[in-house]
Amino acid sequence: MNSEQWRVYADVGNTALNWAAHDGDDWIAEGRVGVEELTAGSAVVRETLESAGLAPSDCLRVALVSSRPSVADEMVAALAEATGAEVALMGRDLQARVEVGYYDPAEFGQDRLAAAEGALALHGAPAVVITLGTCITAQALDRSGRVVGGAIAAGMEAQAAGIEAAVPHLREPVEHALANLRAGRAIPGAGHSTIENLTLGLAASLRGTVEALVEAMGEVTPAPAPVIATGGDLPAARAAGVGFDHEEPLLILEGLRAVDERR
């Protein structure tokens, strides 16, 4: 590949569009666009590319995976406008090879397929994959790389939203607690303020959820199956005392790239 040319890989989640550029050897730039900015995604992505020294005209093509079908077409259009390149959507233009042992495999999200592809590309099988986003998802891969089961639980964003909806007067301290965890600040042994109480509670919930899901996935994967984690709340998980065998912040994009390079 021409060293001056690169590809963009993007993941539309529940709260943000995460993207990164790859030049054939390494990831050379990355960015994040909040869901509230998605309508201006093309301008934001273009500006970020240019600030990283990347000329949009050098983009070979774009691959996109989305857990939100309702915005997939909008994001295809935004990325095409930002780069002037062809945009391939996973599940429509790109197909994963991972076999899914669901009653109805079509229920398994394309973003989770991409995470499984990324785990296989980087670490092989068996594996347990944990994604820490608005929801916490888990999937178990057997020795053949087949998804043999999974789980979905509320992530910190969803839990915080639940507290705010049920107890509105806690909205501000919940936001502070969430920020503390995401900044990786020390977790108090026992809270001495509302914010500390909520920080400790959110951290305990995150740790307990992840540990329970890893244990459940371990029941259906052959040992030893490394635990591979990704997602925006990796720093919060570290702060909460959760350990993983591998942390891969770009796991979904790595999987998307693996799928894209097979076409």
Side-chain angles (χ1 to χ4, degrees):
M1 181 185 296
N2 188 319
S3 62
E4 294 182 354
Q5 295 181 319
W6 37 271
R7 301 175 185 181
V8 168
Y9 297 97
D11 168 31
V12 182
N14 291 304
T15 58
L17 166 72
N18 294 294
W19 67 270
H22 199 278
D23 67 359
D25 296 312
D26 203 358
W27 297 102
I28 55 176
E30 61 183 277
R32 178 182 174 92
V33 182
V35 71
E36 70 281 357
E37 302 175 84
L38 285 178
T39 54
S42 60
V44 173
V45 172
R46 188 186 303 110
E47 289 170 5
T48 308
L49 289 171
E50 291 173 345
S51 69
L54 302 174
S57 59
D58 290 332
C59 181
L60 286 175
R61 66 181 185 228
V62 181
L64 172 70
V65 63
S66 176
S67 62
R68 301 180 64 202
S70 63
V71 301
D73 288 341
E74 181 182 354
M75 286 301 95
V76 166
L79 289 164
E81 182 182 347
T83 62
E86 170 199 2
V87 180
L89 179 64
M90 187 165 162
R92 185 187 68 190
D93 310 305
L94 304 173
Q95 303 299 327
R97 291 182 181 171
V98 174
E99 184 183 352
V100 178
Y102 266 30
Y103 304 127
D104 179 3
E107 289 184 1
F108 198 71
Q110 292 294 320
D111 56 328
R112 297 176 73 186
L113 277 172
E117 288 273 8
L120 292 172
L122 295 175
H123 301 289
V128 172
V129 181
I130 301 289
T131 302
L132 301 161
T134 303
C135 289
I136 299 172
T137 65
Q139 50 243 30
L141 307 179
D142 66 12
R143 286 193 178 92
S144 70
R146 179 175 183 263
V147 175
V148 292
I152 302 174
M156 287 208 314
E157 190 78 34
Q159 290 194 34
I163 293 173
E164 291 174 8
V167 193
H169 71 270
L170 289 179
R171 178 181 179 84
E172 186 174 343
V174 165
E175 293 301 323
H176 281 293
L178 206 53
N180 285 342
L181 279 169
R182 287 175 168 162
R185 298 192 179 102
I187 308 298
H192 294 86
S193 69
T194 301
I195 292 174
E196 287 189 353
N197 273 251
L198 287 163
T199 301
L200 180 57
L202 287 172
S205 181
L206 176 61
R207 183 173 60 250
T209 298
V210 171
E211 289 176 352
L213 295 187
V214 168
E215 181 179 0
M217 297 302 101
E219 295 293 324
V220 294
T221 53
V227 179
I228 304 162
T230 192
D233 279 331
L234 272 174
R238 285 188 221 110
V242 184
F244 303 103
D245 296 303
H246 305 285
E247 292 186 5
E248 300 288 355
L250 297 180
L251 185 68
I252 290 174
L253 300 185
E254 288 280 10
L256 180 59
R257 183 170 72 90
V259 173
D260 176 61
E261 290 184 347
R262 289 200 298 260
R263 64 167 163 161

